[in-house]
Amino acid sequence: QSWSRGMSYCLHSESHLDTGPIYVRENGKLHVVNPGAGGVRNGIPKTRPFSLFSRSFSVELCMNREDDRARRQRTDHFIFTYTKEGNLRYSAKSLFSLVLGYISDNVDHIDSLIGFPEQIAEKLFSAAEARQKFTEPVTGLRALQKFTEAYGSLVLCSLCLRNRYLVISEKLEEIKSFRELTCLDLSCCKLGDEHELLEHLTKEALSSVKRLLLKDNSLSDAGLRRMTAPVRVLKKGLENLLVLDLSCNPKITDVGIGYLLSFKKLNCLDISGTGLKDVNAVIKRLQTQIGLVHSKVPLKEFDHSNCKTEGWAEQTVLQWEQAVMEATKPQDNLRSRAAALRFYGKTRRIEEVVKCTLVEPETKASGNLQFYKEKVQNCHLPLKKEVAGSHESKNSKKRALAEQERERTSKQKHLCLTVEDWDLLNTY
């Protein structure tokens, strides 16, 4: 009844406004209820065009007000290109690229990638890296851990953080998530003996490290004792280490060098610029126990050119470094303040970053203390037959001395561990 009253009121309204024809659907058929007020009253049909909306009517098309990214994602579904004639042409992206983009936007919600194909995982990592997903504080770490757990060295096999102590402090947890690294360069970072990253070196996740560069890190004998404790007792940790650089660490003495004798696979060692008291005794000890020979010339293994950041996460490390550099950019504004101080005749305190070049004179003063194994050196530098024969006789003598030294040290194995060593091992 209310509907009929409203309809009758609309039909019999005395208003002069022409609402146009009114249609009613009844039993599946369309009936004209009112053909138009103007046509009925005047008898002459008006030819005024019918308008669906009034002049004051406005409409706004909104795709998604709650999330602005939906609007951007909707436009990303198309690829816009120009033809030779200059016309704009668009084509839809493939379903694979759309799904890849969606997963990379939500990469932190992935449960696991173990068993996932490596080829697709690399594309997924690159897509997430382009969106800078791994630079986010919490979600970036969680996403990076999913990749490192599944693919290990493919994500990163070599990491160079030389003079990048700010990156280490800001992204320490992310750096610790990398697994199966074969080369790690931490030179000139001033980490010290108690740094968390040095403790992480003894974990099983980094047992694959073969090249470790710790030049100028303020290390002492206590740091070497902690770093070598799993190898000396549990035969774990850095047991596969081949190249070790401990140069420019003045606090390392003859006692600390004794801890390095547990690295039986070590081929190259650099202890230049350390605080050794009896250099000749150390040289003889390294030669007789682990077969390292003192090199008269600098070795190419310690020129820091062979260790580079390599793997899927190479651009991710660069993004971390750029973020740290942007965070320290406001310091450039101090130039105007320094100019004002010079104008008023005041002096400004100069703060310079300590680099590796400052400790080079110490290395030259103490001499070049780089060691290598002759077997490795002979592979690169072929010798003459006469020189080779003399070296073979020397090697036989060294083997005999080494066997005698092993027999002597085997009787004193039970005396190698101290109370401090046992306390240190209990922390692992």
Side-chain angles (χ1 to χ4, degrees), residues 253-283:
T253 62
D254 304 25
V255 179
I257 301 301
Y259 297 130
L260 303 179
L261 301 178
S262 57
F263 296 135
K264 301 300 181 182
K265 298 181 181 180
L266 199 62
N267 289 332
C268 297
L269 176 65
D270 189 0
I271 53 175
S272 305
T274 55
L276 301 180
K277 298 179 181 178
D278 193 349
V279 178
N280 295 328
V282 171
I283 294 175

Side-chain angles (χ1 to χ4, degrees), residues 124-173:
L124 179 60
F125 189 92
S126 300
E129 191 178 51
R131 290 166 170 79
Q132 296 187 354
K133 287 294 181 179
F134 301 115
T135 59
E136 298 176 0
V138 180
T139 58
L141 173 60
R142 185 164 57 246
L144 187 62
Q145 288 176 346
K146 301 301 179 182
F147 282 94
T148 55
E149 289 174 358
Y151 305 103
S153 60
L154 292 177
V155 179
L156 209 64
C157 62
S158 179
L159 179 58
C160 180
L161 295 174
R162 186 182 188 189
N163 202 17
R164 300 291 186 271
Y165 49 88
L166 292 178
V167 178
I168 294 176
S169 60
E170 292 293 331
K171 298 294 181 180
L172 179 60
E173 295 299 326

